[in-house]
Amino acid sequence: NAGVTQTPKFRVLKTGQSMTLLCAQDMNHEYMYWYRQDPGMGLRLIHYSVGEGTTAKGEVPDGYNVSRLKKQNFLLGLESAAPSQTSVYFCASAQGDTQYFGPGTRLTVL
Amino acid sequence: KQEVTQIPAALSVPEGENLVLNCSFTDSAIYNLQWFRQDPGKGLTSLLLIQSSQREQTSGRLNASLDKSSGRSTLYIAASQPGDSATYLCAVRITGTASKLTFGTGTRLQVTL
């Protein structure tokens, strides 16, 4: 069992570039989440999904889009990256009360 | 809007000491509360989960308590070890919110030899 994996681990973008972060889980969990973690602000929920084909906005969704075409994958897209999106991005999955987190993606936008 | 606060932001203690980390939340209508551990450059690992109907949970040297009416939770670590050094985050789940969590900003703990 790999649990929750995220690719890539690190990425540097220039302002205006686009990219997609991939989250994959092999635990057959229904719920998946994308968070960002910034210094002094804790983790904030960007988008989440309660099942294949469904997505919903979290606390800070602006500038991001998501897709959940397959149950095991949850993609986070940045269409036009901005320096304010420099952060560490965490994906999590859950079945019931416990969320299982991936190792994170460190994104820098110059 | 639920707000979760953790005090102190950082804590340094000598090995062997017992310590308490604090978490407070503004909306008492919670479904449960979790404590997580985060090591530098890593993801989060769930340590303890307390349902809203429970008062405390224990796992080894860790004990978490919950006082919903006052909006407080504490994480007690007994006989601290250098391996306990990490950031500890609490998170609350609001009733009926698709398991969404609201996180505190964390307490960075360092246990010195």
Side-chain angles (χ1 to χ4, degrees):
Chain A
N1 256 2
V4 180
T5 58
Q6 293 182 233
T7 53
K9 289 184 170 53
F10 303 93
R11 185 72 184 269
V12 179
L13 290 178
K14 294 181 180 177
T15 297
Q17 287 185 320
S18 63
M19 78 162 295
T20 300
L21 283 67
L22 171 64
C23 176
Q25 53 98 2
D26 60 3
M27 296 173 282
N28 202 36
H29 288 168
E30 291 292 337
Y31 293 0
M32 296 187 75
Y33 311 83
W34 275 107
Y35 295 92
R36 59 178 289 174
Q37 185 176 36
D38 302 294
M41 300 194 73
L43 276 80
R44 293 181 292 168
L45 183 64
I46 305 171
H47 285 281
Y48 65 101
S49 168
V50 298
E52 181 178 320
T54 73
T55 63
K57 294 180 180 180
E59 183 185 357
V60 288
D62 294 342
Y64 304 96
N65 56 76
V66 287
S67 64
R68 183 103 182 265
L69 298 179
K70 294 182 179 180
K71 187 177 184 179
Q72 63 267 34
N73 295 337
F74 195 27
L75 278 64
L76 178 71
L78 287 73
E79 290 187 346
S80 179
S84 62
Q85 294 178 304
T86 293
S87 188
V88 180
Y89 291 86
F90 288 99
C91 174
S93 70
Q95 188 83 26
D97 290 329
T98 302
Q99 291 194 12
Y100 298 84
F101 283 78
T105 294
R106 185 173 295 276
L107 175 65
T108 302
V109 183
L110 302 175
Chain B
K1 178 188 171 186
Q2 177 74 268
E3 292 184 1
V4 182
T5 305
Q6 291 186 247
I7 295 173
L11 181 65
S12 181
V13 301
E15 181 181 12
E17 235 181 60
N18 303 326
L19 61 102
V20 174
L21 307 181
N22 297 294
C23 172
S24 60
F25 46 94
T26 55
D27 186 345
S28 62
I30 66 169
Y31 188 81
N32 59 44
L33 182 144
Q34 283 186 258
W35 283 92
F36 290 86
R37 170 185 172 135
Q38 184 178 26
D39 293 290
K42 306 287 187 183
L44 281 68
T45 301
S46 181
L47 296 173
L48 289 165
L49 184 149
I50 311 176
Q51 300 293 350
S52 63
S53 58
Q54 297 175 319
R55 295 301 297 263
E56 64 179 305
Q57 280 286 342
T58 298
S59 176
R61 293 181 296 107
L62 306 180
N63 176 276
S65 68
L66 174 64
D67 184 343
K68 217 173 65 162
S69 61
S70 68
R72 294 178 188 274
S73 176
T74 61
L75 179 66
Y76 174 83
I77 302 178
S80 59
Q81 303 170 358
D84 295 330
S85 297
T87 297
Y88 292 81
L89 298 103
C90 69
V92 298
R93 174 184 165 187
I94 304 297
T95 305
T97 57
S99 297
K100 291 187 295 181
L101 299 178
T102 301
F103 282 84
T105 52
T107 294
R108 188 170 66 252
L109 173 67
Q110 183 174 11
V111 181
T112 59
L113 293 170

